Amino acid sequence: MAAALAAKTAVWTPSSSFSSACLSEASKAGSMVAGSGSFVTGACLQLGSRTSSLRGTGVASTNSMRCQRSSRSIGVVSPRAVSDSQSPGDTCLDPDASRSVLGIILGGGAGTRLYPLTKKRAKPAVPLGANYRLIDIPVSNCINSNINKIYVLTQYNSASLNRHLSRAYSSNMGGYKNEGFVEVLAAQQSPENPNWFQGTADAVRQYLWLFEEAQVLEYVVLAGDHLYRMDYQQFIQVHRETNADITVAALPMDEARATAFGLMKINEKGRVVEFSEKPKGDALKAMQVDTTVLGLDADRAKEMPYIASMGIYVVSKEAMISLLRDDFPDANDFGSEVIPGATKLGRKVQAYLYDGYWEDIGTIEAFYNANLGITKKPVPDFSFYDRSAPIYTQARFLPPSMMLDADVMDSVIGEGCVIKNCKIYHSVVGLRSWVAEGAVIQDALLMGSDYYETDQHRSELLLSGGIPMGIGKNSVVKRAIVDKNARIGSNVKIVNKDDVEEAARENDGYFIKSGIVTIIKDAVIPNGTII
C-alpha cells in the first residue's frame, strides 16, 4: 500500500558516522527503522567536516544544539487524511538550507517532443493539473524544503514562463536577515561567451560568475519539466553526511523500464562508479546493483535491481566551480558529460534513492498520462492535496467553478469554469473553461483560457457565425488535449475516428501524437468538424 502513495519519500540508512547519542535522540523522537519505510535521520546529526569548512565562505555556522528536536511522535492517525507523503524523519542541516543552499532550475530546451504545446511557450510553462504550470513543481519543492534563493535559467519561448514566475513569486520570500527570491536568468551574450546555452552544464557555466557570488555551500540543480514531490533537505543531508562532491537522485527501476534511462552502478557505500546510457542486453545486466545499500527493502530490491539518474543533483560549491571552469570547460551537459567525467576523475559522486512517483514530462503521451493520472482512484499518481508540502502557483482570484445540471465523474475541475448541462468523465478541466450544453468530455485534458469572454461578446459571436472560446454545444472530446484559448464549435467530434497514431495538421489546428489529438493554442475548429 505504501508503494501506491502519490509521492513516497526516499529511504536511506545512516552510516557509521552517526553517534549513538544521535540515534538515541532519534529513537526518543519516535522515529521508526528504515526498513519500515520511514527515515532514520539522526535528529542531532553532527556535520563536523562540513561545519568546519564553512570558514571563509561567508556562511555562519550556528550552534548545533539548534538542530535538536523535542521529543514527539511523528506518527499520525490515517496519514492519508492529512498528507499523501509518508512522515519523514527530522532533518538537521547546519547551517539550514535557507542560508546555505542555492536552487538552480533549468528551463529546458526547445521541447520539440512536446510540440505543439511548446509552440508558444517554454516546456516549464506548460499548464498542469488544471491550475498549475510545470515550473511550479520544482519551485514549490524548493520552498517546501526551506530553499528560498532560486534562479530559473530560460532560453526558448520564455515570455509566458517569465510572466508566470513574476506574478506567482514576485514578493520577497525571505526577511531582512535572510533574503529569498525567484529570479529568471535568460540566455545572453557576454564578452566571454557570445553563444546561447548549449546544454545544462553550459547554461550553469555562463552564469557561474553570479552563482559563485552566493554565500552558500551547495547548489541544487533541478529540471523544470519533472513532476514529483521531494524534500530536498533530506537529499542535502545525505550529501553532507557522506561528504560527497556530487549527489545524484536515483530512481529504482525494473528491467522493463531500465532500458529507457541512463543507469548508474554503485559500490557498497553508495558511491557511483559507472554510468551507462540506455543499455540493452548484456550491457543492461552488467548495470544491476544492490539497492539495499541505498535503503530499499530486500523484496523491492529484487524487483528493481537498477537505478536511473533523475537529472537532479546536489553539487558542492567548490566542486561545481572546479568541474565547469577547470576540469570540463567545454562540456555542455551534466548527465552525459560532467557527472560521468567527475566519476572518472575520482570525485565523490554519491547516489541518493528516491522511491516515489516521478515523471519526466518529455512527450505528449507522458504529459497526457501525468495529467490524467491525478484523477486516478482510489489513490492518484500525484496529488496536489498534500497539506505538508503544497504546490504553489499564481494567485488569480477567480470565482468558484459553476456547474449547472452537469454530470461530472472522476475529474478535476480548475478555478473559474462554467460547465452547463454536459457530461465530463475522467478528465482534467483547466481554469476559465467554458463547456456548453450537450457536450461530452471523456479521458481528455482541457487547459482552459487565459481570459474570459463576456456573455455579450459570446452572443455577438454566435449571431455573426463566429465561435466563442471553449467547447461548443453537443461537441464530443475524447482522448485529447485542448490547449488554451481554443475555440471548438458546435457538433464537433474530436475522437480520432480513424485511429491515427501520428499526424501533423497544423493548418487545421491540430496534431496527433501517440494516438492523442492535441488542439493547438488559439486554434479555431469549425462547427461540425470531425477529427
Side-chain angles (χ1 to χ4, degrees):
M1 189 170 183
L5 289 175
K8 192 163 89 175
T9 50
V11 289
W12 65 286
T13 42
S15 74
S16 58
S17 64
F18 279 85
S19 67
S20 59
C22 285
L23 289 176
S24 174
E25 186 69 25
S27 176
K28 291 177 184 176
S31 299
M32 296 180 288
V33 295
S36 68
S38 289
F39 286 88
V40 178
T41 56
C44 57
L45 174 63
Q46 302 297 313
L47 302 172
S49 60
R50 285 286 174 192
T51 305
S52 61
S53 68
L54 293 175
R55 295 187 181 93
T57 65
V59 181
S61 174
T62 58
N63 191 316
S64 60
M65 289 297 292
R66 68 194 294 275
C67 288
Q68 293 185 2
R69 312 294 189 191
S70 59
S71 296
R72 61 179 177 83
S73 172
I74 62 171
V76 293
V77 178
S78 185
R80 207 172 285 172
V82 176
S83 168
D84 65 3
S85 59
Q86 289 180 310
S87 297
D90 290 329
T91 54
C92 177
L93 297 181
D94 185 19
D96 63 38
S98 67
R99 296 182 299 119
S100 62
V101 180
L102 181 70
I104 301 173
I105 302 175
L106 303 169
T112 53
R113 293 184 300 160
L114 261 182
Y115 196 87
L117 300 181
T118 53
K119 180 179 180 180
K120 297 181 178 181
R121 59 169 78 91
K123 267 200 298 185
V126 173
L128 172 76
N131 285 350
Y132 306 89
R133 292 180 185 258
L134 277 172
I135 191 64
D136 292 326
I137 301 300
V139 172
S140 297
N141 282 338
C142 283
I143 294 171
N144 293 330
S145 302
N146 200 26
I147 299 170
N148 55 21
K149 298 182 180 72
I150 306 164
Y151 285 112
V152 182
L153 276 62
T154 66
Q155 179 161 283
Y156 290 95
N157 280 346
S158 59
S160 62
L161 176 60
N162 297 348
R163 183 168 57 246
H164 176 76
L165 289 171
S166 66
R167 291 176 177 177
Y169 309 103
S170 59
S171 61
N172 193 315
M173 297 188 300
Y176 74 97
K177 287 185 177 180
N178 186 21
E179 183 187 12
F181 56 82
V182 179
E183 290 186 10
V184 174
L185 299 177
Q188 62 181 7
Q189 290 183 322
S190 68
E192 293 78 20
N193 195 330
N195 302 315
W196 279 33
F197 298 152
Q198 301 301 305
T200 55
D202 183 62
V204 174
R205 183 188 296 108
Q206 289 196 35
Y207 275 102
L208 196 57
W209 61 271
L210 178 61
F211 304 148
E212 191 176 6
E213 292 177 357
Q215 302 300 320
V216 296
L217 293 178
E218 295 98 5
Y219 305 116
V220 176
V221 182
L222 309 167
D225 53 0
H226 294 172
L227 179 59
Y228 65 107
R229 181 182 276 109
M230 182 191 288
D231 184 353
Y232 300 135
Q233 292 179 104
Q234 294 157 358
F235 191 11
I236 296 161
Q237 179 162 305
V238 171
H239 175 82
R240 292 181 181 179
E241 199 274 328
T242 55
N243 201 32
D245 294 312
I246 303 170
T247 303
V248 183
L251 202 66
M253 284 280 167
D254 56 25
E255 188 167 324
R257 294 189 299 154
T259 56
F261 291 87
L263 303 184
M264 299 180 290
K265 199 164 187 178
I266 56 173
N267 63 17
E268 67 281 358
K269 294 182 179 180
R271 296 285 192 210
V272 178
V273 296
E274 185 181 345
F275 287 84
S276 182
E277 186 67 24
K278 300 180 180 178
K280 293 180 175 59
D282 292 339
L284 176 63
K285 297 287 186 184
M287 295 303 292
Q288 287 189 0
V289 298
D290 178 11
T291 46
T292 60
V293 169
L294 300 176
L296 204 63
D297 64 80
D299 291 337
R300 298 199 66 236
K302 290 180 181 178
E303 298 172 8
M304 299 184 172
Y306 302 94
I307 54 172
S309 171
M310 296 168 62
I312 300 170
Y313 317 106
V314 176
V315 187
S316 296
K317 182 177 182 178
E318 301 85 352
M320 179 75 85
I321 294 169
S322 176
L323 287 167
L324 294 185
R325 190 169 286 162
D326 303 324
D327 299 325
F328 304 102
D330 299 319
N332 291 328
D333 187 70
F334 275 111
S336 62
E337 297 177 82
V338 176
I339 309 296
T343 304
K344 291 179 181 177
L345 288 178
R347 290 276 189 175
K348 297 176 182 177
V349 181
Q350 181 75 21
Y352 170 83
L353 190 72
Y354 171 79
D355 188 20
Y357 176 81
W358 173 85
E359 185 65 58
D360 180 359
I361 310 294
T363 65
I364 290 291
E365 185 176 21
F367 175 75
Y368 173 84
N369 290 334
N371 274 276
L372 270 293
I374 69 175
T375 68
K376 189 180 292 185
K377 61 180 185 181
V379 179
D381 289 340
F382 181 88
S383 174
F384 290 95
Y385 299 92
D386 187 339
R387 295 189 213 170
S388 65
I391 304 300
Y392 305 97
T393 191
Q394 176 184 343
R396 300 179 179 88
F397 308 106
L398 292 171
S401 289
M402 181 168 56
M403 287 173 273
L404 306 174
D405 300 319
D407 183 4
V408 180
M409 184 181 298
D410 300 337
S411 298
V412 173
I413 310 297
E415 300 172 337
C417 299
V418 178
I419 298 170
K420 297 182 176 181
N421 193 19
C422 60
K423 297 179 179 180
I424 301 177
Y425 305 132
H426 188 231
S427 297
V428 176
V429 180
L431 46 88
R432 303 188 191 88
S433 287
W434 185 292
V435 184
E437 297 89 336
V440 176
I441 313 297
Q442 182 176 340
D443 302 324
L445 167 60
L446 309 183
M447 291 191 183
S449 305
D450 288 318
Y451 54 92
Y452 279 121
E453 287 181 333
T454 64
D455 290 341
Q456 180 181 352
H457 187 200
R458 294 180 67 85
S459 299
E460 290 173 354
L461 278 172
L462 290 169
L463 288 173
S464 63
I467 298 174
M469 204 179 306
I471 310 299
K473 290 184 178 181
N474 303 315
S475 290
V476 178
V477 181
K478 292 185 178 180
R479 191 171 163 74
I481 299 170
V482 179
D483 206 340
K484 280 193 170 184
N485 308 332
R487 300 172 184 272
I488 311 299
S490 301
N491 300 301
V492 170
K493 296 189 186 307
I494 304 173
V495 295
N496 193 6
K497 65 182 181 66
D498 297 323
D499 293 324
V500 176
E501 279 296 305
E502 305 288 330
R505 301 286 187 270
E506 188 159 3
N507 291 337
D508 296 324
Y510 69 93
F511 277 72
I512 302 176
K513 292 187 176 182
S514 302
I516 301 165
V517 179
T518 301
I519 305 299
I520 299 172
K521 184 178 181 181
D522 300 312
V524 178
I525 307 300
N527 297 331
T529 300
I530 299 177
I531 299 176

